[in-house]
Amino acid sequence: MFRLPHNLPTIEDWLALKGWSRTPNVTEGTHGEYFWVRCESAWFGSALSTTLFMPTEFRVLVTYWDGNGADFYRNEPGWKAIGDYALGPPLKYLPELNFGAQSAAMLIPHTVPESQLEDLLVGFDDFQPYREETAPFWNVVDRIKPICYFSDLDEGIFVAQGKELYELGFNESLVAEITNELRVREQRIRQSTWNTLGPECGPEKCVEPGCDHLRIRLAIRCLLHQLNCGWKTQEY
């Protein structure tokens, strides 16, 4: 008969994430001169807004905002609808994009003729690397030659023209920041679990053989055994 492990940590160590280690899942790839990454829990639009300043003007093309980008941005000053998409004014920095829902955007050179843009976007589909078919995205990229593209439709996605820009948006500092956020999130989950299900009040001990923890109020096991071996992480 299967038995849960007896060598559980103390509640104090479990809440403090002693021995816990986690880094975001990352997948990288290339397409011609473009470098791309899919990174768990990343939002590249926010990161780029503090680091990106271009020597020449570009325009923001919102390709997705909770479905249809044009619906949200058509009334914003300087913005206009291009089919289902929204095109911003020429800028050298990334503006506040008001993203509060799933979204995607690309930064395109200001030299791309606005009159031709709708035709250039025919067949476009936002980039999600785990899909079987990504050619519709890359076909448009090859035609428009965007400076970069970012979305949160499939974790955090970042596509950059050239390695220098790629490493500006995706680097060790960003991974370290996300790693810390994952740790804070896990601590919050564990504390909430303890506050909801704990404390181990007994007076009976946990029924698992060899366990000296007391049972929690609504079960016959201690908290960590009640979590069914999930004490290493609550993300199961």
Side-chain angles (χ1 to χ4, degrees):
M1 180 185 226
F2 174 75
R3 289 292 184 183
L4 300 176
H6 305 316
N7 57 335
L8 299 180
T10 64
I11 286 295
E12 292 75 18
D13 285 348
W14 181 75
L15 290 174
L17 273 65
K18 185 175 181 180
W20 184 87
S21 179
R22 174 82 186 283
T23 55
N25 293 320
V26 172
T27 304
E28 295 179 275
T30 60
H31 173 89
E33 62 183 328
Y34 286 88
F35 294 77
W36 64 264
V37 62
R38 176 185 186 269
C39 181
E40 177 187 7
S41 299
W43 171 233
F44 291 100
S46 177
L48 288 169
S49 66
T50 62
T51 58
L52 183 67
F53 183 85
M54 301 297 293
T56 58
E57 290 183 325
F58 61 83
R59 303 182 78 171
V60 179
L61 180 72
V62 175
T63 58
Y64 189 100
W65 190 91
D66 199 20
N68 190 318
D71 286 344
F72 183 77
Y73 281 94
R74 67 172 69 249
N75 296 320
E76 291 289 305
W79 288 74
K80 59 182 64 180
I82 304 291
D84 292 337
Y85 310 124
L87 181 66
L91 295 168
K92 288 188 177 182
Y93 61 91
L94 192 61
E96 171 55 54
L97 293 174
N98 303 316
F99 287 150
Q102 281 195 312
S103 55
M106 64 171 65
L107 309 187
I108 65 175
H110 77 287
T111 53
V112 175
E114 186 178 313
S115 60
Q116 299 177 21
L117 192 53
E118 191 166 4
D119 289 337
L120 291 171
L121 287 164
V122 169
F124 177 78
D125 197 3
D126 282 293
F127 185 44
Q128 297 182 59
Y130 285 176
R131 284 183 176 177
E132 292 184 5
E133 183 59 73
T134 59
F137 172 80
W138 291 117
N139 289 341
V140 171
V141 166
D142 290 339
R143 291 198 294 264
I144 293 180
K145 299 294 184 183
I147 298 163
C148 68
Y149 166 92
F150 49 87
S151 82
D152 62 350
L153 305 181
D154 177 15
E155 295 292 358
I157 303 292
F158 180 51
V159 180
Q161 186 182 51
K163 194 167 186 179
E164 183 178 355
L165 178 58
Y166 178 72
E167 292 179 345
L168 179 67
F170 180 69
N171 49 51
E172 291 182 0
S173 295
L174 179 65
V175 172
E177 182 179 330
I178 295 171
T179 298
N180 183 64
E181 290 174 356
L182 291 174
R183 184 175 186 86
V184 170
R185 183 189 307 169
E186 177 67 13
Q187 284 182 312
R188 190 180 300 119
I189 291 171
R190 292 191 182 189
Q191 188 63 58
S192 176
T193 301
W194 173 249
N195 292 343
T196 302
L197 299 179
E200 295 170 355
C201 56
E204 299 85 3
K205 287 186 177 181
C206 171
V207 297
E208 291 299 323
C211 182
D212 291 327
H213 289 240
L214 298 178
R215 69 172 181 86
I216 58 177
R217 183 170 59 89
L218 299 177
I220 59 176
R221 293 181 175 84
C222 68
L223 175 65
L224 300 184
H225 274 124
Q226 187 64 22
L227 293 178
N228 193 29
C229 289
W231 56 269
K232 290 185 178 180
T233 174
Q234 283 297 95
E235 298 176 3
Y236 60 91

